[in-house]
Amino acid sequence: MATYARIKNTGKPKVVIIGGGFAGLELVKSLRHADVQVILIDKQNYHTFQPLMYQVATAAIDAESIIHPFRKVFEEQENFYFRLAEVQCVNTQEQLVETNIGLIRYDYLVIATGATTNYFGDKQMEQNALSMKSVEDANCLRNTILSNFESSLQLDDHEQLNSLMDYVIVGGGPTGVELAGALSELRKHVFPKDYPELDFKSMDIHLIQSGGELLKGMSKEASLKSQQFLEEMGVQIWLNRRVKSYDGYTVTLDNGETLITRTLIWAAGVTGNPVLGLKPESLLKGNRLQVDACNRVVGYEKVFAIGDIAAMVTPENPQGHPMLAQPAMQQGELLGKNLVRLFKGETLQPFVYKDQGSMATIGRNKAVADLKLFNKEIKSQGFVAWLIWMFIHLVSIIGFRNRLTVMVNWCWNYFTYNSGNRLIVGKKQENIPITETISHKAVI
């Protein structure tokens, strides 16, 4: 017989939220004064500020600076309850969420499970590439980069050295562009000091984009400027190219060209991360849940979805809203207000996305920003955009201590061209042994 998770019954309507990303967090905040019991379920006990994960991966800041415990965030919210658990499935008929700690009953269920890395069915790529969807991923990439250079010190073979020192990034969106820029900065200012025995002129950084421009979705000016910045920093950009295969050593492109690297970073797309138990017809392309204008999952009365997992298809957004933090936060805030309206028997308000623009940083004093303020479009590139990017990201981090830590790290890195986070702690990617790559090379 299934047991129930131990959660105090307050006698108030239970709003169960699965996922503590940007959408889930904003929903909890929006319900802080509501006469309900808010139950947040997540497999981690902290929220991650994902826009700065690439800086953890490139040793600019430590992981603790971009995570904040849920219990600390909502310690003063009396109607908030958190359970560290993994959701196994939902039973919408019985209004139950099945987890590894037991059953949790709900009156209203909100799915805010976000997205996961999309390898488009390529199992070989999934096995051999590194992704950037969690703090663990970011730490693993940092450990791998540093371990590669430590291993390089023991090699004489030119190709083997290049396989460890060269990096291939797949995906020319913000994550790919920012990673390429950060690696280039490290190659120029930091790595030569740490590893004076290595020749970093031979360290190549490849950025591969399937389309004809970087930062698709931003303005033409931002796309061209970001490409110019990266090329000036020595990043090799491959436009209109797709990766056909990667076996952990050889990258094969769709035109037959090959690159050698032991570290391929996959930033080429995401897919929704749905929970089991919902009707198959509720899922659209990309594993996103189809929702109406009020974020109610189509086919259900008491199940909602917000953030990356939700696809609100409209004539203006035929693929749903972009899978970004701003739509997620706005949906979370409005749904909280709509749930209160629902309890009062009032009409729900439809969601209208207020696009505030996009930004990406490429390196020191280099960024691009397409902002929308007071119904005006403001486009900026270079130093001013970089300052705007820093300010907005700094104030968006949860917790004063985290903001202070990040600001101190940024200032220290800026003036010293250095950082103190280049530590190999925890998991790293296990590369193909050198003897196997030599044998592999002889075969091809």
Side-chain angles (χ1 to χ4, degrees):
M1 182 177 177
T3 59
Y4 283 83
R6 293 188 51 145
I7 303 177
K8 178 182 178 182
N9 185 2
T10 63
K12 299 177 181 180
K14 292 182 174 66
V15 178
V16 174
I17 306 164
I18 305 175
F22 287 112
L25 219 65
E26 286 300 314
L27 175 55
V28 174
K29 291 178 185 177
S30 189
L31 290 170
R32 61 187 176 276
H33 300 305
D35 192 26
V36 297
Q37 185 176 10
V38 182
I39 302 171
L40 176 65
I41 307 170
D42 200 290
K43 62 182 179 181
Q44 307 290 354
N45 74 332
Y46 54 80
H47 169 76
T48 303
F49 188 72
Q50 289 190 334
L52 292 184
M53 277 206 302
Y54 84 95
Q55 293 206 359
V56 175
T58 52
I61 57 178
D62 59 78
E64 287 72 21
S65 301
I66 64 167
I67 60 178
H68 207 69
F70 294 122
R71 296 186 183 278
K72 180 66 176 177
V73 177
F74 300 111
E75 61 182 347
E76 297 181 2
Q77 186 166 328
E78 295 182 359
N79 66 356
F80 173 74
Y81 295 79
F82 172 72
R83 287 298 180 268
L84 181 68
E86 292 193 28
V87 173
Q88 296 163 342
C89 69
V90 297
N91 183 334
T92 56
Q93 290 184 329
E94 300 292 331
Q95 295 184 202
L96 294 170
V97 179
E98 298 182 20
T99 76
N100 64 327
I101 63 169
L103 301 175
I104 300 175
R105 186 174 296 281
Y106 69 84
D107 291 291
Y108 293 94
L109 175 65
V110 182
I111 300 171
T113 47
T116 188
T117 304
N118 189 1
Y119 293 100
F120 303 98
D122 189 333
K123 296 298 182 183
Q124 186 190 53
M125 186 67 68
E126 185 175 353
Q127 178 182 348
N128 295 319
L130 289 168
S131 63
M132 280 282 293
K133 286 303 293 178
S134 68
V135 171
E136 290 82 1
D137 290 342
N139 280 332
C140 180
L141 177 53
R142 181 199 64 201
N143 293 337
T144 300
I145 292 170
L146 298 176
S147 296
N148 283 353
F149 294 131
E150 296 292 343
S151 299
S152 297
L153 295 170
Q154 305 303 316
L155 295 175
D156 293 320
D157 183 83
H158 180 71
E159 182 176 308
Q160 295 300 321
L161 271 170
N162 280 349
S163 74
L164 287 168
M165 294 181 65
D166 292 356
Y167 293 86
V168 174
I169 302 167
V170 184
T175 299
V177 166
E178 290 173 342
L179 267 173
L183 281 173
S184 179
E185 294 272 313
L186 289 170
R187 176 179 60 183
K188 180 178 180 181
H189 300 294
V190 177
F191 290 152
K193 297 177 184 178
D194 280 1
Y195 306 96
E197 299 162 79
L198 297 175
D199 179 13
F200 282 91
K201 292 179 181 178
S202 62
M203 175 183 169
D204 295 326
I205 303 168
H206 302 273
L207 179 60
I208 302 173
Q209 166 67 350
S210 61
E213 60 183 11
L214 301 178
L215 299 178
K216 183 180 178 182
M218 294 189 69
S219 66
K220 190 71 174 179
E221 294 90 335
S223 175
L224 292 174
K225 196 64 178 180
S226 62
Q227 182 174 342
Q228 178 188 332
F229 281 146
L230 288 172
E231 288 175 342
E232 290 172 352
M233 297 166 72
V235 175
Q236 299 182 39
I237 299 174
W238 301 70
L239 297 178
N240 297 308
R241 290 286 185 274
R242 292 181 182 273
V243 175
K244 186 176 179 181
S245 66
Y246 175 58
D247 60 6
Y249 188 76
T250 302
V251 182
T252 304
L253 304 182
D254 56 356
N255 64 348
E257 294 182 86
T258 60
L259 302 170
I260 300 298
T261 183
R262 293 169 183 266
T263 311
L264 183 146
I265 305 162
W266 186 261
V270 294
T271 184
N273 188 27
V275 297
L276 296 176
L278 297 179
K279 301 173 184 176
E281 52 266 32
S282 298
L283 277 177
L284 297 179
K285 184 180 179 181
N287 277 342
R288 301 177 77 182
L289 292 169
Q290 184 178 7
V291 298
D292 63 16
C294 299
N295 283 97
R296 198 190 313 258
V297 177
V298 173
Y300 296 94
E301 284 296 317
K302 297 186 175 183
V303 181
F304 297 81
I306 53 178
D308 290 353
I309 189 63
M312 188 181 294
V313 178
T314 65
E316 297 78 18
N317 297 280
Q319 305 299 321
H321 294 97
M323 299 167 81
L324 301 171
Q326 280 301 320
M329 295 169 70
Q330 292 176 29
Q331 287 180 1
E333 181 181 4
L334 179 63
L335 181 56
K337 296 175 181 178
N338 269 339
L339 286 173
V340 173
R341 292 187 181 100
L342 190 63
F343 303 146
K344 295 179 179 179
E346 298 175 357
T347 303
L348 304 187
Q349 297 298 310
F351 176 73
V352 179
Y353 176 43
K354 300 177 180 66
D355 187 0
Q356 298 174 344
S358 304
M359 298 178 293
T361 181
I362 292 91
R364 176 184 300 264
N365 303 333
K366 299 180 181 71
V368 292
D370 294 341
L371 304 178
K372 296 182 180 180
L373 301 173
F374 309 110
N375 296 321
K376 293 184 178 180
E377 292 189 3
I378 302 173
K379 298 175 183 178
S380 177
Q381 300 94 37
F383 180 69
V384 173
W386 181 71
L387 290 178
I388 294 171
W389 181 93
M390 290 184 67
F391 174 77
I392 290 178
H393 282 73
L394 194 61
V395 299
S396 299
I397 298 172
I398 296 176
F400 173 77
R401 179 179 175 275
N402 284 6
R403 293 190 196 106
L404 181 62
T405 302
V406 170
M407 184 177 69
V408 169
N409 271 282
W410 282 353
C411 291
W412 178 262
N413 296 346
Y414 186 82
F415 290 108
T416 66
Y417 290 88
N418 208 342
S419 71
N421 300 299
R422 297 187 300 282
L423 304 172
I424 304 173
V425 180
K427 185 179 70 171
K428 67 180 182 69
Q429 185 185 49
E430 295 300 327
N431 290 319
I432 299 173
I434 291 175
T435 53
E436 290 188 25
T437 61
I438 291 174
S439 174
H440 174 75
K441 182 173 66 174
V443 172
I444 63 173

